[in-house]
Amino acid sequence: MNEVSFVVNGREVSGEVEGRTLLSEFLRENLRLTGTHVGCDTSQCGACVVHVDGNAVKSCTMFALEAEGSNVLTIEGMANEDGSLGVIQQAFQDHHGLQCGFCTPGMVMSASALISENPDPSEMEIRDYLEGNICRCTGYHNIVKAIQAAAEATRTQAA
Amino acid sequence: MPKDFGVGASTKRREDVRFLTGNGQYTDDMNVHGQAHVHFVRSEVANGVLKSVDTSAAAAMAGVVRVFTGADFEGVGGLPCGWQITDRHGEPMKEPAHPVLAQGKVRHVGDPIAAVVAETAAQARDAAEAVSCEIEEQPAVTDMKAALGGGALVHDEIGSNLCYDWGFVEENREAVEEAIRGAHHVTTLELTNNRLIPNAMEPRVAIGDYNPSTDESTLYTTSQNPHVIRLLMGAFVLGLPEHKLRVVAPDVGGGFGSKIFHYAEEALCTFAARQLKRAVKWTASRSESFITDAHGRDHVTKIELALDKDGNFLAIRTETCANMGAYLSTFSTSVPTWLHGTLMAGNYKTPLIYVNVKAVFTNTVPVDAYRGAGRPEATFQLERVIDKAARELNMNPIELRRRNFIGADEFPYSTPVAVQYDTGNYQATMDKLVDIADIDGFSGRAESSAARGKLRGLGVNCYIEACGIAPSNLVGQLGARAGLYESATVRVNATGSVTVMTGSHSHGQGHETTFPQVVADMLGIEEGQVNIQHGDTANTPMGMGTYGSRSIAVGGAAMVRATEKIISKAKKIAAHLLEAPEGDIEFKDGSFAVAGTDKSVAWGDVCLAAYVPHNYPLEELEPGLEETAFYDPANFTFPAGAYACEVEVDPETGKVDICSFAAADDFGNVINPMIVDGQVHGGIAQGIGQALLEHATYDDNGQLLAGSYMDYAMPRADDVPSLVVDHSCQTPCTHNPLGVKGCGEAGAIGSPPAVVNAVIDALERGGHSVGHIDMPVSPSRVWAAING
C-alpha cells in the first residue's frame, strides 16, 4: 500500500492505495465522491471524466498514485459556491441534456473542458469533441444544444 | 401558447439537480455496512460439459469468504420464464431449466459457473482466477439455420433446438396462401434484424443484504421493475415470501428493456447474503455486461407482400426465426410472438396476414426485449417490403403507403392480427412529415449532393406500436404468467402536500417531474407540492414497473384514478365543513365551493380537517386522505407516426452520412413536450445505431466478437444528426383517462427502416440495383453492394 495526497475540489485529500487502484476507484470508494461514474472497462464511455490540473481525463485510465500532488476537479465541484447549479449544469437542465443521468457527470466535465479550449464551438466541433463520451438516452441532440447554450452563457459572463 | 405548468408544460426536470451535481444514488454508489464482494467465474466456452469445479485454491486465498458453485443451488429454483407460448399444434413451448449457477453444462460464453465472495472486490477478482473448471468443450451452435438443421444441441433433454413453432393467425394460413398465389404482384424480401446489445450506460449491480434477527432479505438492484423481481426471485427461485423480501431499485442508469429481467446475479447475491449473514455486492464490468445482459432483436425473416394491380395490399405472409439464446430470459418468448405478430398490419388495411415464428436455442447470450421489443422487427420488415414493392411497381413509396392507410374515419379498426386500434390519423402524420422534412425540396438537395460526387437518398416509412401493455385477462389468455396492471397510492399530507407512490419506475424517463404535473393539475396545487416515490417495494404498492412505453398510459392512469378517489373523499369533507349537500360541491383550482354561492373552503383546510378531524363526519367517513388505485388497461395504446431520413452515400467508400432525420409522431395527449422530444431523440439514435453501426456478432465457436466498446459500435455524437421531431398530430387514446399513448420506444421502432430505405434509395437513384442491404449498413456492405 502506498500513500497518495492531492487536492480534490479545493480540498486536500490523502489515502492508502494499492498500486493498481484507479483514480476513479479512489474517488468513488475512498473519498465517496460517487458522482464520477464508471460505465466501461476499456476507457471508451467517458462517464468517469474529471479534470486533472485543468485537463479532461478519464479517471479510469489513471492510477490514483499518478494523481499525487495534482489538482482534481470532479462533478461535485462544478456547482456555484452557493450550491446552485453552475453554468454548464444549468444549461443541461434547461435544455433537457440528460435523462438517466449516468453519463452526465462525464458529459458536463468534457463540456467544461471544451468551452475552456474553445469558447464558441460550432455544432460539429461539439459533436467531434464528445467522441469519447457515450450517451445512450438522449441521442446527443439536447446535449449539443446545452453545450452551445453553456458556451454562450460563459462568453456573456466573461464579457 | 405553450403552458408553463401542469399537463402540457415543458416543466424542467427536478431530478436533474441531483444528477448534475453528482448526488444521484445509483446502486453502485451504495455500500452496505459489512458487505463482502462477489466476482463470478464464467464460462469461456460456448458449449461444454462441466465435469468439475475445483474451488479449493480460491477458497484458501486472502480475504476469500466463500465460493459458491452450482452444487450449492441443487434444490433451489431456476430463473423463470414469464410467458408461455403455445405452438401451432397446441403444444406448450420447450422450457429448459435455467440454473442460477451452471449445473452439468455450460451453454454460452458468460454462463456463470461459480461465485467467489471475498472481503474486497480485488480479492474476489484475484481468487476467481484460481477457480479451476474442467470443461469438456463441445461444438457450439450460434447460427439459427444450423441450430434447426441438426447442429449441436443446446439442451440435450429437449432433443432439438426448437423452442416453439408459432402460427398466427393459424386459421388464416391457407387463405393467405391462396391470396398470394392469385395476386397480381408479390414482393418478397429476405432480411435479418441484427442482434443488438442494449448497453444502458450503467452496468448492472446487485447488493444482497440479510438481517438474521428479522429473517428479512433486501436486494438493491438495477431494475426497471422491483416488484416483478421480488415476485420472480421470491416465488420461483429462492422461496422467500414477499413480506420477508424487499427489493429496492434506486436511481437506475438507463434500462431499454435490459433491466426488466430477473438475472442470476440478483438471486446469487440475495442467496449468498442469507448464507453468509452479511451483505454481498456485485458490480458488473462492462465486459461482463456484454456477455450477460440480455441481447435484443436477432431475427431472420422472409416476408411476402401481395398486391393487386392498383397497389392495394391483399395479403402478408412472414416467416421468422427468432434467436432465444441459450436460455429463456424472463419475457423472451413473448417478443417474437405477441409483441411482433400482432403488429404486422402496421398502419395499413391488409385483409389477410399470417405470421410464422420459430424460436431457436443457440449457444449465445439469452435474447429478450430491447427498446421496442418485437415491434421494431415487425415494422422493419413491413416498411422495407413496402418500399421494395413500390420500386417494383414503379410507384411513389409515400403514395403507396397513403393508398393503403387505414382511414381516419375507420377507427376503431380491427386488424386481421387480433388487435383493435382505437384512434389514429395516418394521413395527418404523413402530411406533417412531408412538411417538416421538406420532402418537396429533396430533388434540389439530391442535385447538390450529386455535384459533390455523392449519392443522396430519401427514406420514408411509417410505424405503429402497441404500448401500455396490457389488459391482464387478455395477456393471461395469451400465456403471460403475470398481470399487467399498474398501481398508485396518493397520500395527501395534513398540510396539503402530496406524496404519490407508484409501481412505475423511472430510469431516465422523468417520472418525478411528469407525474406531479398530472396530479397538481387535477388538484389545482403547485407541482412542487407533489412528490413521487418509486423503486422500493417497501413503500410502493405492488406494480409491474416500466417498459413497453407503459408508465404514463398505465401507471399514470392508476395515479389519476387514485387522485379521483382523493377528490371524491375531499368533496365529502368539504361538504361537511361548508354544511352543504355533497352534490353541490364544486372543486376547481384548489378550492371547494358550494355551487351558486360564494361559500368555499380551500384545499389545505380540507386536508387539515382530514387529519385533525375535530369538525368531521367521523360516523360516516374515516379520517385521513390517502387512496390507492390499481389500473388494468382496457386495451393497448397505439402510437403511430411517419419518419423520414436523408442520407448521402459516398460511392467510392460506401460510407453513409445521415444528412437529416425528421419524425412526425402521434402520441395522443402529451404531458411534458420537452421530455417527449427527448424520448424520441434517444430512440432515433438507437435506431440509427441499429441501422448503421451496431452488431453483436459471434464467431462459429460462440465467442462474442463485439464484446467491448472497441468492437461494438455505439452511436457517438458525430454519428447522429440534429433531429427534427414533432408530435402535434394528436388523436387521444379513447380508453385511458389521460388520453395518452406512450412515447418511449417510437424512435427506436420507426427509425431503422427510414435509414435503410434512404440508403437503398440513394443507391438505386445512382443506378445500383441492390434490392436490400442488411443492417448494420456498414461501408463495407454498401461498397460490396455497389461493386457486386
Side-chain angles (χ1 to χ4, degrees):
Chain A
M1 297 288 258
N2 303 280
E3 171 89 11
V4 64
S5 311
F6 52 94
V7 172
V8 179
N9 303 331
R11 185 168 60 94
E12 285 189 27
V13 299
S14 62
E16 292 273 318
V17 295
E18 289 185 74
R20 63 177 167 179
T21 302
L22 301 172
L23 177 58
S24 53
E25 201 177 334
F26 183 76
L27 292 169
R28 289 181 55 78
E29 296 301 332
N30 294 53
L31 304 181
R32 299 301 292 151
L33 293 171
T34 54
T36 297
H37 295 154
V38 178
C40 76
D41 47 9
T42 51
S43 293
Q44 304 284 305
C45 82
C48 68
V49 170
V50 300
H51 294 183
V52 178
D53 294 330
N55 298 313
V57 168
K58 287 176 175 168
S59 61
C60 75
T61 63
M62 224 177 120
F63 294 116
L65 287 171
E66 292 180 285
E68 175 67 32
S70 65
N71 196 338
V72 175
L73 180 65
T74 72
I75 189 68
E76 287 90 348
M78 293 298 284
N80 296 324
E81 278 181 19
D82 65 359
S84 61
L85 295 180
V87 168
I88 298 170
Q89 293 166 317
Q90 188 61 57
F92 269 71
Q93 187 189 30
D94 290 347
H95 293 272
H96 190 31
L98 64 153
Q99 291 182 25
C100 82
F102 196 81
C103 77
T104 306
M107 285 288 177
V108 170
M109 300 312 291
S110 285
S112 169
L114 165 62
I115 293 169
S116 300
E117 292 170 26
N118 179 355
D120 190 7
S122 69
E123 180 189 334
M124 278 324 297
E125 285 172 332
I126 294 170
R127 290 183 184 275
D128 285 345
Y129 196 89
L130 295 181
E131 210 268 338
N133 291 81
I134 303 176
C135 171
R136 194 56 152 169
C137 294
T138 64
Y140 304 98
H141 182 95
N142 285 340
I143 291 176
V144 173
K145 277 168 61 178
I147 294 174
Q148 285 174 319
E152 187 182 342
T154 305
R155 292 196 304 277
T156 307
Q157 269 183 357
Chain B
M1 272 287 287
K3 289 181 70 176
D4 54 9
F5 64 91
V7 171
S10 286
T11 302
K12 289 179 199 170
R13 298 200 328 168
R14 60 179 72 178
E15 46 271 77
D16 289 357
V17 176
R18 68 176 187 273
F19 295 146
L20 282 162
T21 53
N23 288 306
Q25 177 135 87
Y26 300 86
T27 310
D28 190 50
D29 299 342
M30 305 170 70
N31 284 330
V32 176
H33 179 72
Q35 74 188 9
H37 297 261
V38 63
H39 192 93
F40 286 87
V41 178
R42 299 185 181 277
S43 179
E44 295 175 359
V45 303
N47 194 16
V49 177
L50 182 58
K51 315 232 2 164
S52 67
V53 183
D54 183 353
T55 62
S56 55
M61 285 175 68
V64 172
V65 177
R66 176 86 181 263
V67 184
F68 293 94
T69 67
D72 293 294
F73 284 82
E74 280 172 17
V76 177
L79 303 174
C81 179
W83 204 303
Q84 179 180 292
I85 298 300
T86 302
D87 79 2
R88 286 176 54 205
H89 312 292
E91 297 295 318
M93 67 187 192
K94 300 293 190 294
E95 195 171 357
H98 186 180
V100 174
L101 295 176
Q103 294 177 344
K105 263 199 96 173
V106 289
R107 296 187 174 88
H108 68 87
V109 171
D111 211 356
I113 296 169
V116 179
V117 183
E119 296 296 336
T120 71
Q123 287 170 333
R125 195 163 58 231
D126 289 346
E129 291 187 13
V131 174
S132 171
C133 304
E134 189 189 347
I135 298 174
E136 183 184 301
E137 190 172 357
Q138 297 181 324
V141 61
T142 58
D143 177 74
M144 288 189 278
K145 199 175 277 181
L148 291 177
L153 288 180
V154 181
H155 296 277
D156 299 319
E157 68 277 17
I158 294 176
S160 85
N161 289 316
L162 182 65
C163 177
Y164 55 75
D165 179 4
W166 185 75
F168 181 66
V169 176
E170 191 60 28
E171 292 72 35
N172 290 348
R173 187 184 175 89
E174 287 184 15
V176 169
E177 165 72 32
E178 270 179 43
I180 288 175
R181 206 183 307 133
H184 168 77
H185 185 83
V186 178
T187 297
T188 303
L189 183 59
E190 294 184 36
L191 52 83
T192 296
N193 203 291
N194 42 329
R195 177 184 276 245
L196 304 177
I197 300 178
N199 272 305
M201 292 316 299
E202 176 200 30
R204 287 189 297 117
V205 182
I207 308 172
D209 195 11
Y210 179 62
N211 184 339
S213 61
T214 60
D215 192 34
E216 289 173 348
S217 292
T218 302
L219 170 67
Y220 303 91
T221 183
T222 47
S223 175
Q224 300 175 213
N225 32 237
H227 280 282
V228 174
I229 301 303
R230 183 174 69 161
L231 179 63
L232 292 178
M233 184 175 78
F236 296 98
V237 188
L238 299 180
L240 300 174
E242 285 95 332
H243 70 298
K244 295 291 186 187
L245 176 58
R246 174 183 172 204
V247 176
V248 184
D251 288 329
V252 172
F256 315 110
S258 70
K259 292 172 180 169
I260 299 171
F261 323 121
H262 177 42
Y263 287 98
E265 295 85 359
E266 295 171 321
L268 184 286
C269 288
T270 308
F271 178 86
R274 291 179 70 86
Q275 297 277 311
L276 302 173
K277 298 187 169 38
R278 63 187 289 193
V280 172
K281 179 175 183 175
W282 169 73
T283 301
S285 66
R286 178 59 58 182
S287 299
E288 246 178 330
S289 305
F290 271 98
I291 54 169
T292 66
D293 292 3
H295 292 183
R297 316 281 192 258
D298 206 352
H299 287 191
V300 175
T301 293
K302 176 184 173 188
I303 181 170
E304 295 157 281
L305 171 64
L307 307 94
D308 70 13
K309 62 181 172 32
D310 298 319
N312 297 307
F313 299 169
L314 302 176
I316 291 169
R317 176 166 58 195
T318 171
E319 295 167 357
T320 287
C321 284
N323 203 334
M324 293 286 101
Y327 301 99
L328 296 181
S329 176
T330 311
F331 289 114
S332 56
T333 50
S334 65
V335 173
T337 50
W338 300 112
L339 297 178
H340 167 247
T342 52
L343 272 296
M344 280 315 306
N347 310 51
Y348 312 102
K349 288 183 288 190
T350 308
L352 286 165
I353 298 176
Y354 179 71
V355 182
N356 175 243
V357 177
K358 292 182 177 68
V360 184
F361 292 110
T362 61
N363 292 116
T364 62
V365 172
V367 179
D368 208 325
Y370 165 61
R371 201 171 195 170
R375 292 153 289 177
E377 295 91 321
T379 302
F380 185 72
Q381 56 178 291
L382 180 61
E383 295 295 328
R384 283 288 304 123
V385 81
I386 292 173
D387 240 50
K388 186 162 183 250
R391 206 167 297 288
E392 289 173 356
L393 296 171
N394 199 24
M395 292 181 72
N396 179 305
I398 294 177
E399 294 311 315
L400 180 60
R401 288 177 169 87
R402 286 190 188 272
R403 164 177 289 272
N404 286 283
F405 277 159
I406 298 160
D409 57 353
E410 294 179 84
F411 293 94
Y413 183 85
S414 293
T415 74
V417 274
V419 288
Q420 187 186 70
Y421 303 160
D422 58 342
T423 55
N425 188 342
Y426 308 141
Q427 299 285 1
T429 44
M430 183 59 87
D431 290 344
K432 176 59 71 177
L433 181 77
V434 167
D435 177 32
I436 62 174
D438 184 25
I439 284 175
D440 293 343
F442 173 75
S443 55
R445 295 189 292 276
E447 283 172 23
S448 147
S449 296
R452 286 180 282 109
K454 301 287 176 65
L455 305 174
R456 198 177 185 99
L458 168 67
V460 170
N461 67 278
C462 299
Y463 77 90
I464 189 161
E465 53 173 329
C467 297
I469 187 167
S472 293
N473 54 1
L474 171 65
V475 295
Q477 291 167 22
L478 303 182
R481 289 163 169 162
L484 284 166
Y485 50 84
E486 196 45 85
S487 63
T489 296
V490 175
R491 177 181 295 160
V492 178
N493 301 307
T495 60
S497 66
V498 178
T499 304
V500 179
M501 288 145 274
T502 171
S504 294
H505 182 276
S506 181
H507 31 279
Q509 296 89 341
H511 297 172
E512 292 169 36
T513 300
T514 45
F515 280 31
Q517 288 180 255
V518 174
V519 174
D521 237 20
M522 290 180 72
L523 297 178
I525 60 178
E526 300 282 326
E527 288 172 17
Q529 291 291 302
V530 185
N531 211 30
I532 302 297
Q533 284 184 5
H534 64 98
D536 186 345
T537 59
N539 62 18
T540 55
M542 170 82 177
M544 301 310 288
T546 287
Y547 41 80
S549 308
R550 72 193 299 272
S551 289
I552 199 69
V554 190
M559 184 177 65
V560 168
R561 291 282 185 252
T563 307
E564 286 169 349
K565 291 186 190 179
I566 291 284
I567 293 169
S568 174
K569 184 175 180 183
K571 277 186 175 175
K572 290 186 172 66
I573 301 169
H576 176 87
L577 294 174
L578 292 164
E579 298 177 336
E582 187 190 330
D584 289 354
I585 302 298
E586 292 175 343
F587 180 53
K588 197 173 171 230
D589 297 333
S591 176
F592 299 85
V594 182
T597 75
D598 59 357
K599 287 171 66 180
S600 68
V601 58
W603 165 255
D605 292 328
V606 170
C607 300
L608 192 64
Y611 288 97
V612 187
H614 296 165
N615 176 16
Y616 193 90
L618 285 168
E619 59 286 356
E620 299 160 21
L621 205 59
E622 292 174 11
L625 201 47
E626 174 168 325
E627 298 288 350
T628 295
F630 284 74
Y631 178 83
D632 204 90
N635 190 359
F636 292 89
T637 63
F638 295 97
Y643 285 17
C645 178
E646 276 186 42
V647 299
E648 264 186 1
V649 178
D650 183 339
E652 298 297 315
T653 64
K655 185 171 187 306
V656 175
D657 283 322
I658 296 185
C659 310
S660 66
F661 199 104
D665 293 292
D666 175 0
F667 296 132
N669 295 333
V670 163
I671 309 300
N672 185 319
M674 174 192 81
I675 287 177
V676 169
D677 286 351
Q679 290 292 308
V680 178
H681 293 156
I684 291 172
Q686 287 182 355
I688 289 173
Q690 168 162 30
L692 294 184
L693 300 165
E694 299 178 39
H695 197 187
T697 47
Y698 280 90
D699 72 8
D700 291 342
N701 298 319
Q703 294 293 334
L704 180 65
L705 298 177
S708 80
Y709 287 146
M710 291 183 288
D711 316 296
Y712 186 90
M714 291 280 280
R716 317 263 171 154
D718 59 358
D719 294 313
V720 183
S722 188
L723 305 166
V724 178
V725 302
D726 181 285
H727 39 76
S728 61
C729 294
Q730 299 181 350
T731 59
C733 172
T734 55
H735 56 79
N736 66 43
L738 290 166
V740 293
K741 295 187 174 183
C743 64
E745 297 159 295
I749 296 170
S751 54
V755 176
V756 178
N757 286 349
V759 174
I760 301 301
D761 186 58
L763 297 183
E764 295 274 355
R765 283 171 193 273
H768 307 285
S769 183
V770 295
H772 179 70
I773 301 175
D774 266 330
M775 301 186 290
V777 181
S778 59
S780 63
R781 284 179 172 180
V782 174
W783 191 90
I786 291 174
N787 293 283

